[in-house]
Amino acid sequence: MDRILSSLAAENDIAPVHIIPYFVDMVERPNPRAMTLNVRISGALGDFVAANVGDEGAYENVSEYVRDLIRQDKARSESQAFDRLKAELQRAFAAPESSYHTLDADTVLARGRQRAAE
């Protein structure tokens, strides 16, 4: 969260007063279950993997290669989520103060219930 606020503040010269944590679901939690994958790769894809594994490749084995690809995809996904949040916050901070209005907790909860029912 601090990284988000620092990034936004640096880019927009803003000082947010109160931010509700958005990234609760993005916190990495330990998973006690290991997952085993069996994937059959042949042809050009198999040749490509073989070129990246072993003595001539960047990875010691196929498992290491696949784990790295998954980590890279996870980082890309998290970066996209961060960019969406950042864009939404930038739009909110750019809105004129007259467009804001006070909401109480009951109103917010009612909106949430209504959206969940739709």
Side-chain angles (χ1 to χ4, degrees), residues 52-116:
N52 285 289
V53 174
D55 294 337
E56 302 296 320
Y59 300 94
E60 194 171 307
N61 56 55
V62 175
S63 293
E64 181 183 323
Y65 186 26
V66 170
R67 281 191 296 271
D68 188 48
L69 290 172
I70 293 168
R71 281 187 205 99
Q72 289 176 36
D73 191 44
K74 181 177 181 284
R76 179 197 52 78
S77 177
E78 289 170 352
S79 178
Q80 288 176 341
F82 174 77
D83 289 343
R84 286 191 303 271
L85 173 61
K86 184 175 160 184
E88 184 65 31
L89 289 173
Q90 286 173 334
R91 279 193 296 277
F93 286 125
E97 196 164 322
S98 62
S99 67
Y100 292 100
H101 57 279
T102 303
L103 296 174
D104 60 22
D106 291 333
T107 304
V108 173
L109 292 172
R111 280 186 184 178
R113 283 188 212 103
Q114 182 181 6
R115 287 182 182 162

Side-chain angles (χ1 to χ4, degrees), residues 15-81:
V17 177
H18 181 72
I19 299 289
I20 298 171
Y22 263 70
F23 282 84
V24 172
D25 291 334
M26 293 185 70
V27 174
E28 207 167 309
R29 294 175 180 89
N31 186 351
R33 297 179 299 154
M35 180 183 292
T36 301
L37 303 173
N38 293 312
V39 180
R40 183 178 303 257
I41 300 174
S42 60
L45 288 179
D47 294 340
F48 183 79
V49 169
N52 285 289
V53 174
D55 294 337
E56 302 296 320
Y59 300 94
E60 194 171 307
N61 56 55
V62 175
S63 293
E64 181 183 323
Y65 186 26
V66 170
R67 281 191 296 271
D68 188 48
L69 290 172
I70 293 168
R71 281 187 205 99
Q72 289 176 36
D73 191 44
K74 181 177 181 284
R76 179 197 52 78
S77 177
E78 289 170 352
S79 178
Q80 288 176 341

